[in-house]
């Protein structure tokens, strides 16, 4: 089932600069889609169209069959939860608890549901101990998790994450990868906007490459990432494991998707040395 | 709103007027400002505004100054209305409104053609304390940055179901909290980072910092200065002669 | 051979001696008993999980601590023969430059060239000399053609290069970079990383860099230092530190090629050295 559909969408900023031109894209229910491209390629503008923050200048965007021009961002957000890059652009409450319940109250959830979802979110994201603390005392990584908790608490059908790994250390990234895994197995639709090709590579999402306001590639990540000419033009980097694979004189039919896979293949190359 | 405020925001262009020393541009704007205050008939105002528009055409900023005038149009109408209702007569009401527009366009001519860096130099030349000048320059420098912050915060809160334009006046006022709190917090964090960066680049280490550029008046500036002073004095004397004040 | 094996000078430029620092409003020390020597011409990467004390250590080296932030300070930091705690910020700023994460918050002026001149103005450098140094710094960082642009007319990468030009114009011997590329896209970040490498090789500037994206900077680094809980826990050549079994538990984003190298070694397959680029790793595997 198609959840979000862009039909020949163009968007021109009030100042006059075109940010999207002729974008067509259909996101199916349960898919994980990653959007990559250099800064200014139109990714952020694309994201702002998924929940009606921006409306197309021409063409149309539909969410669950509803044209975004015929409804409000607040109503669409009930179905499409967007977590923006900078948590400091949304944190305002006196406590972590009220930060999480803010959206649910806006959406008119009843009290029993609000408190049930709050408990679940705080527990799931490991924020229980901060329930009554000010969100401002949280570390950068915790703030990032709080913004995710705020969104998943109202259980949207689509989760959009804008640069979730920026400034995150390895441990925080691992946690994020686990959360993504759980979202996928729960059947959620996930849209990831990210520069972090190393993070995306083992996940192998459907990949959308943007450049100059257009979608220049859309498909399997392994295939697109092997097209060096295309990546060069869009100023997107290649994952390290793929670059290693490309440099091998003898190599398996398909590139390594993770370090384990690569190790197993290289180990099979020759009998092991003695210890030492 | 943003479009209209463009009438007071500097844009870099090359023109005979922009080439002038910023102090001379300030002088010319000030002359127009004073003459607008003195003018006693609508025709005088029309002449003044005509001259200002001619200068803006030379400075290739006619459009931007037009925006300033459009921006002030609402206030001008208000001034007209108040004066008219107060019974000062149609002619006076028009005169006051027109005078307001003349004052706005003379101010706009200066701000549209003067970069904040030049403003800084003028303020220093006038002897403002360095900290005051720097605070002013930084405030102007960060207007677009804070505006971007505000729009990103509004997007984030709308994405959490906040509807600004809904509900009673009290509800709407309360709706501003989720916008204002992050905006203030971000500005405080930003000013902390600015302070670190300033400190790391030796801000305040000498009482008399040097400058990459000096304002140096050339014959061209002196000529413009003398010519504009002569014309303004003549115009002032004419007005005074025909309509002695007091 | 890569630049890193040719080795930096042996002369010490900066030394941190048993340094501890605690912020007044905090219960525990942000930096605990850290000792670190940085040689002239070295590029040192500083890694560790969020809140491990990296940023505090950087601020102790350039003097923001204790000159701007006060607190419980023990130990000594010496840069270029000057004891940081006893030297005024203005003198320090000529020896230690600091580039921050967010380029937006370190550009004060309305044109690139005026901003590059900012520090020199503060030091009362005469105008002619200032002109030369500003032009030189803009040329080195590739922003000469942007000289009269305003900050809002620059891309993020251009802003960061402008800020770096402002630091380089002051001709510091040591430049500290606090997550300089984390807000840039990978290609732009790579360009900034290459510029850093050039400044190191051509001008001999010493760098201390905090960055999560190690794969960008490992190729130009001589050393990798890892901190946790305010203490220094690992210190050595990047290839050694990245093969240390503990390194991932410290939250360091170990590049996939280093992880592959290490897990092969655990399997008994020893490649000649921990690679700094994927192409190098592929070559090593081809040679097996």
């Amino acid at each position: 089932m198609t959840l979000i559909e862009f039909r020949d969408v163009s968007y021109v900023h009030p100042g006059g600069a075109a940010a999207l031109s002729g974008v067509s894209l259909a996101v199916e229910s349960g898919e994980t889609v990653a959007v990559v491209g250099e800064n200014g390629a139109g990714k952020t503008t694309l994201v702002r169209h998924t929940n009606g923050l921006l409306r197309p200048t021409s063409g149309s965007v539909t969410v669950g069959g509803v044209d975004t021009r015929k409804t409000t961002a607040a109503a669409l957000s009930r179905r499409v939860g967007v977590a923006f890059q900078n948590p400091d652009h949304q944190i305002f409450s006196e406590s972590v608890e009220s930060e999480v319940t803010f959206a649910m109250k806006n959406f008119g959830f009843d009290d029993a549901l609000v408190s049930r979802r709050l408990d679940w979110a705080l527990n799931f994201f490991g924020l229980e101990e901060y329930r009554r603390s000010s969100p401002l005392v949280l570390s950068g990584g915790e703030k990032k998790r709080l913004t995710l908790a705020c969104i998943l608490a109202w259980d949207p059908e689509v989760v959009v994450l804008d640069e979730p790994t920026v400034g995150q250390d390895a441990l925080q990234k691992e946690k994020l990868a686990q959360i993504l895994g759980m979202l996928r197995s729960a059947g959620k639709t996930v849209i990831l906007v990210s520069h972090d090709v190393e993070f995306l590579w083992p996940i192998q999402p459907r990949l959308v490459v943007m450049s100059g306001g257009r979608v220049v590639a859309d498909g399997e990540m392994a295939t697109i990432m092997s097209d060096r000419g295309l990546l060069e033009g869009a100023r997107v980097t290649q994952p390290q494991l793929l670059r290693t694979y490309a440099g091998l004189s003898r190599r398996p039919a398909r590139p390594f998707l993770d370090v384990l896979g690569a190790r197993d293949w290289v180990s099979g190359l020759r009998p092991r040395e003695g210890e030492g | 709103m943003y479009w209209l405020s463009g009438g007071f925001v500097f844009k870099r262009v090359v023109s005979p007027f922009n080439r002038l020393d910023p102090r001379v541009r300030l002088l010319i704007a000030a002359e127009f400002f004073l003459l607008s205050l003195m003018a006693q008939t609508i025709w005088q105002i029309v002449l003044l505004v005509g001259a200002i528009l001619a200068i803006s055409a030379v400075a290739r900023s006619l459009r931007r100054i037009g925006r300033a005038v459009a921006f002030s149009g609402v206030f001008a109408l208000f001034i007209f209305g108040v004066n008219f209702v107060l019974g000062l007569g149609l002619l006076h009401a028009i005169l006051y409104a027109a005078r307001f527009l003349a004052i706005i366009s003379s101010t706009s001519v200066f701000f549209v053609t003067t970069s904040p860096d030049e403003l800084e130099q003028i303020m220093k030349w006038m002897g403002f304390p360095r900290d005051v000048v720097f605070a002013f320059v930084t405030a102007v420098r960060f207007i677009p940055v804070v505006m971007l912050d505000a729009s990103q915060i509004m997007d984030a809160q709308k994405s959490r179901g906040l509807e600004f334009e809904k509900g009673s006046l009290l509800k709407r006022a309360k709706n501003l909290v989720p916008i204002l709190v992050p905006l203030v917090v971000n500005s405080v964090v930003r000013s902390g980072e600015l302070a670190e960066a300033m400190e790391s680049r030796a801000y305040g280490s000498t009482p008399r910092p040097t400058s990459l550029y000096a304002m140096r008046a050339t014959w061209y500036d002196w000529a413009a200065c003398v010519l504009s002073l002569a014309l303004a004095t003549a115009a002032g004397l004419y007005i005074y002669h025909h309509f002695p004040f007091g | 051979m890569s630049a890193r094996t040719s080795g930096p000078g042996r002369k010490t430029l900066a030394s941190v001696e048993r340094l501890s620092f605690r912020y007044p409003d905090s219960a525990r020390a942000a930096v605990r008993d850290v000792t670190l020597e940085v040689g002239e011409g070295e590029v040192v990467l500083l890694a560790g999980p969020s809140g491990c004390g990296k940023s505090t250590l950087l601020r102790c080296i350039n003097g923001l601590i204790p000159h701007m932030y006060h607190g419980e300070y023990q130990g000594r930091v010496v840069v270029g023969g000057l004891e940081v705690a006893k030297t005024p910020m203005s003198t320090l700023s000529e020896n230690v430059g600091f580039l921050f994460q967010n380029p937006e918050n370190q550009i004060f002026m309305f044109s690139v060239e005026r901003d590059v001149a900012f520090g020199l103005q503060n030091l009362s450098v005469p105008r002619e000399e200032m002109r030369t140094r500003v032009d030189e710094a803009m040329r080195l960082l590739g922003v000469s053609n942007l000289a009269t642009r305003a900050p809002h007319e620059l891309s993020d990468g251009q802003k960061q290069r402008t800020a770096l030009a402002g630091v380089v114009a002051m001709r510091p011997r040591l430049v500290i970079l606090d997550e300089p590329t984390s807000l840039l896209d990978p290609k732009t970040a790579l360009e900034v990383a290459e510029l850093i490498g050039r400044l190191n090789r051509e001008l001999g500037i010493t760098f201390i860099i905090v960055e999560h994206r190690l794969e960008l900077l490992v190729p130009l680094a001589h050393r990798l230092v890892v901190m946790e809980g305010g203490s220094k826990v690992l210190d050595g050549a990047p290839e050694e530190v990245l093969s240390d079994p503990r390194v991932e538990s410290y939250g360091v984003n170990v590049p996939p090629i280093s992880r592959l190298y290490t897990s092969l070694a655990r399997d008994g397959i020893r490649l000649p050295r921990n690679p700094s680029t994927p192409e190098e790793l592929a070559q090593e595997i081809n040679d097996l």
Side-chain angles (χ1 to χ4, degrees):
Chain A
M1 191 187 78
T2 302
L3 256 185
I4 299 184
E5 187 166 18
F6 283 68
R7 276 201 210 100
D8 197 24
V9 170
S10 294
Y11 180 76
V12 182
H13 279 297
L20 292 180
S21 20
V23 170
S24 290
L25 188 69
V27 178
E28 304 295 316
S29 176
E31 258 191 314
T32 300
V33 181
V35 184
V36 300
E38 63 175 320
N39 287 349
K43 292 170 296 168
T44 313
T45 312
L46 184 85
V47 165
R48 280 169 162 70
H49 276 84
T50 60
N51 70 344
L53 286 172
L54 295 176
R55 315 274 163 70
T57 312
S58 71
S60 72
V61 178
T62 51
V63 175
V66 180
D67 191 315
T68 59
R69 271 173 297 209
K70 300 204 170 85
T71 178
T72 62
L76 284 167
S77 297
R78 175 67 192 80
R79 307 185 70 171
V80 183
V82 182
F84 288 100
Q85 183 174 342
N86 186 350
D88 292 329
H89 277 153
Q90 65 175 73
I91 288 173
F92 76 97
S93 302
E94 67 278 11
S95 70
V96 165
E97 184 176 59
S98 52
E99 193 70 45
V100 175
T101 56
F102 174 68
M104 292 189 275
K105 287 179 176 163
N106 287 332
F107 293 134
F109 285 24
D110 67 62
D111 289 352
L113 185 59
V114 168
S115 88
R116 207 164 59 236
R117 302 289 311 172
L118 168 70
D119 289 343
W120 172 82
L122 292 180
N123 183 35
F124 186 78
F125 288 95
L127 295 165
E128 189 57 57
E129 57 177 312
Y130 300 115
R131 185 183 269 263
R132 293 189 211 289
S133 329
S134 162
L136 294 177
V137 305
L138 301 182
S139 73
E142 288 164 341
K143 278 184 187 167
K144 206 98 178 173
R145 261 185 287 150
L146 173 61
T147 59
L148 274 180
C150 288
I151 281 154
L152 290 181
W154 82 72
D155 197 26
E157 291 161 66
V158 186
V159 181
V160 185
L161 308 178
D162 193 359
E163 294 295 352
T165 63
V166 160
Q168 303 280 292
D169 64 41
L171 304 173
Q172 292 161 341
K173 278 196 199 180
E174 211 178 287
K175 246 177 226 161
L176 183 70
Q178 283 169 3
I179 291 168
L180 282 176
M182 280 187 251
L183 288 177
R184 289 177 101 173
S185 51
K188 292 284 174 215
T189 308
V190 180
I191 300 177
L192 288 163
V193 175
S194 180
H195 290 310
D196 197 339
V197 290
E198 304 297 352
F199 178 78
L200 296 176
W201 184 247
I203 300 174
Q204 286 289 312
R206 168 179 161 196
L207 193 70
V208 171
V209 183
M210 294 196 70
S211 176
R214 295 174 185 278
V215 170
V216 292
D218 179 358
E220 216 184 299
M221 183 168 188
T223 318
I224 293 174
M225 279 292 174
S226 306
D227 187 342
R228 294 188 67 169
L230 173 89
L231 297 185
E232 203 64 40
R235 288 173 57 84
V236 171
T237 46
Q238 238 181 348
Q240 284 199 332
L241 287 176
L242 187 59
R243 276 168 65 191
T244 310
Y245 171 80
L248 295 177
S249 47
R250 262 193 316 140
R251 57 195 192 196
R254 290 186 58 78
F256 319 116
L257 298 187
D258 53 26
V259 171
L260 272 178
R263 187 199 65 180
D264 289 347
W265 185 82
V266 178
S267 296
L269 274 183
R270 63 167 204 184
R272 288 178 196 184
E273 286 175 352
E275 296 310 305
Chain B
M1 198 65 192
Y2 186 67
W3 178 84
L4 288 169
S5 65
F8 297 96
V9 179
F10 164 71
K11 194 169 175 232
R12 206 174 296 278
V13 284
V14 180
S15 84
F17 185 71
N18 290 64
R19 232 184 79 196
L20 285 172
D21 187 295
R23 288 167 295 188
V24 179
R25 273 181 263 140
L26 179 63
L27 174 74
I28 292 173
E31 287 162 2
F32 277 114
F33 189 95
L34 283 175
L35 287 173
S36 308
L37 283 179
M38 287 170 70
Q40 293 296 315
T41 69
I42 292 168
W43 285 115
Q44 287 169 2
I45 300 254
V46 168
L47 272 174
L48 280 173
V49 172
I52 295 170
L53 291 183
I55 288 177
S56 359
V58 171
R60 296 175 37 208
S61 311
L62 206 49
R63 271 221 191 124
R64 294 176 83 78
I65 285 155
R67 282 199 224 174
V69 173
F71 179 70
S72 333
V74 187
F75 297 98
L77 272 177
F78 178 74
I79 292 171
F80 171 81
V82 168
N83 283 297
F84 192 66
V85 168
L86 286 179
L88 288 173
L90 183 65
L91 226 53
H92 264 89
I94 295 177
L95 179 67
Y96 285 129
R99 177 180 289 161
F100 175 72
L101 287 179
I103 288 172
I104 289 295
S105 44
S106 64
T107 321
S108 166
V109 151
F110 175 70
F111 281 105
V112 161
T113 56
T114 305
S115 80
D117 283 346
E118 287 173 326
L119 264 183
E120 182 206 4
Q121 287 176 314
I122 292 183
M123 286 174 81
K124 270 195 210 158
W125 175 74
M126 287 176 158
F128 282 93
R130 176 160 165 79
D131 285 341
V132 172
V133 176
F134 191 73
F136 174 81
V137 170
T138 322
V140 178
R141 150 83 180 91
F142 281 94
I143 288 172
V145 180
V146 173
M147 280 173 77
L148 188 66
D149 261 353
S151 91
Q152 288 180 339
I153 292 168
M154 279 166 75
D155 278 354
Q157 307 302 35
K158 273 192 218 163
S159 303
R160 294 162 82 197
L162 182 66
E163 291 180 279
F164 307 104
E165 290 95 14
K166 234 178 159 179
S168 64
L169 214 58
L170 185 71
K171 180 83 177 56
R172 287 190 202 193
K174 266 182 76 182
N175 282 346
L176 287 177
V177 174
I179 310 297
L180 292 178
V181 172
L183 197 59
V184 170
V185 170
N186 274 287
S187 302
V188 170
V189 171
R190 191 183 297 286
S191 54
E193 289 179 14
L194 271 171
E196 283 193 333
M198 283 162 62
E199 197 77 14
S200 302
R201 281 164 80 189
Y203 179 80
S205 66
T206 49
R208 297 197 64 80
T210 45
S211 176
L212 186 63
Y213 284 109
M215 294 187 295
R216 209 171 278 141
T218 60
W219 65 267
Y220 179 71
D221 298 308
W222 282 113
C225 183
V226 169
L227 185 68
S228 81
L229 270 176
L231 283 174
T233 313
L237 282 175
Y238 172 82
I239 294 171
Y240 186 74
H241 182 72
H242 287 266
F243 309 94
F245 307 112
Chain C
M1 282 278 119
S2 63
R4 51 210 258 179
T5 44
S6 63
R10 293 123 293 271
K11 241 178 76 195
T12 301
L13 177 64
S15 69
V16 177
E17 297 159 24
R18 307 211 58 177
L19 180 78
S20 295
F21 182 78
R22 188 174 66 81
Y23 290 101
D25 53 353
S26 166
R28 48 191 294 279
V31 167
R32 283 196 272 185
D33 200 20
V34 169
T35 297
L36 179 71
E37 298 249 311
V38 178
E40 189 103 51
E42 262 193 311
V43 174
V44 178
L45 294 182
L46 191 55
S50 325
C52 70
K54 296 169 295 196
S55 294
T56 305
L57 180 63
L58 298 185
R59 281 158 180 77
C60 290
I61 298 174
N62 99 316
L64 283 172
I65 298 172
H67 294 292
M68 187 171 159
Y69 301 106
H70 309 289
E72 210 177 285
Y73 186 100
Q74 273 164 24
R76 235 160 65 100
V77 180
V78 180
V79 179
L82 302 165
E83 183 171 352
V84 168
K86 292 177 182 156
T87 313
M89 273 311 278
S90 53
T91 313
L92 286 171
S93 68
E94 289 181 88
N95 287 275
V96 191
F98 204 126
L99 186 74
F100 297 87
Q101 176 183 26
N102 190 345
E104 195 73 74
N105 295 346
Q106 46 192 328
I107 296 179
F108 310 102
M109 295 293 143
F110 269 82
S111 67
V112 167
E113 58 175 3
R114 292 283 317 265
D115 194 75
V116 173
F118 180 77
L120 302 178
Q121 297 184 353
N122 292 333
L123 293 171
S124 294
V125 172
R127 184 168 299 125
E128 289 71 39
E129 191 193 333
M130 193 183 322
R131 186 76 254 174
T132 319
R133 286 169 68 171
V134 166
D135 288 344
E136 180 196 64
M138 288 197 300
R139 187 176 48 74
L140 280 166
L141 275 301
V143 291
S144 304
N145 57 334
L146 308 172
T148 58
R149 291 269 184 98
H152 60 267
E153 297 168 328
L154 302 175
S155 71
D156 288 338
Q158 291 168 337
K159 278 182 202 161
Q160 199 56 297
R161 281 188 283 148
T162 298
L164 191 51
V167 169
V168 167
M170 296 174 83
R171 294 190 181 150
R173 296 159 73 188
L174 171 67
V175 173
I176 292 171
L177 313 172
D178 193 0
E179 301 195 37
T181 69
S182 71
L183 299 177
L184 309 178
D185 60 54
K187 269 280 151 90
T188 311
L190 190 66
E191 286 159 8
V192 171
E194 279 162 2
L195 274 172
I196 293 167
R198 251 187 57 205
L199 292 174
N200 173 249
R201 288 190 306 274
E202 290 174 16
L203 302 182
I205 297 177
T206 306
F207 284 95
I208 301 178
I209 310 171
V210 165
E211 183 59 63
H212 283 300
R213 275 143 76 170
L214 287 185
E215 69 271 12
L216 280 178
L217 293 163
V218 162
L220 53 103
H222 304 107
R223 242 167 90 198
L224 175 59
V225 174
V226 180
M227 286 180 73
E228 199 204 34
S231 311
K232 186 175 91 172
V233 286
L234 296 170
D235 183 353
E239 48 271 27
E240 286 164 22
V241 173
L242 288 174
S243 343
D244 191 292
R246 292 167 295 172
V247 70
E248 280 195 83
S249 68
Y250 295 134
V252 175
N253 282 313
V254 180
I257 49 168
S258 287
R259 293 209 335 255
L260 179 53
Y261 169 85
T262 313
S263 62
L264 284 173
R266 249 178 251 149
D267 260 15
I269 297 181
R270 294 203 173 276
L271 299 174
R273 55 188 238 108
N274 196 338
S276 62
T277 65
E279 288 69 28
E280 205 179 313
L281 175 63
Q283 197 50 52
E284 287 179 1
I285 296 175
N286 288 340
D287 293 344
L288 269 181

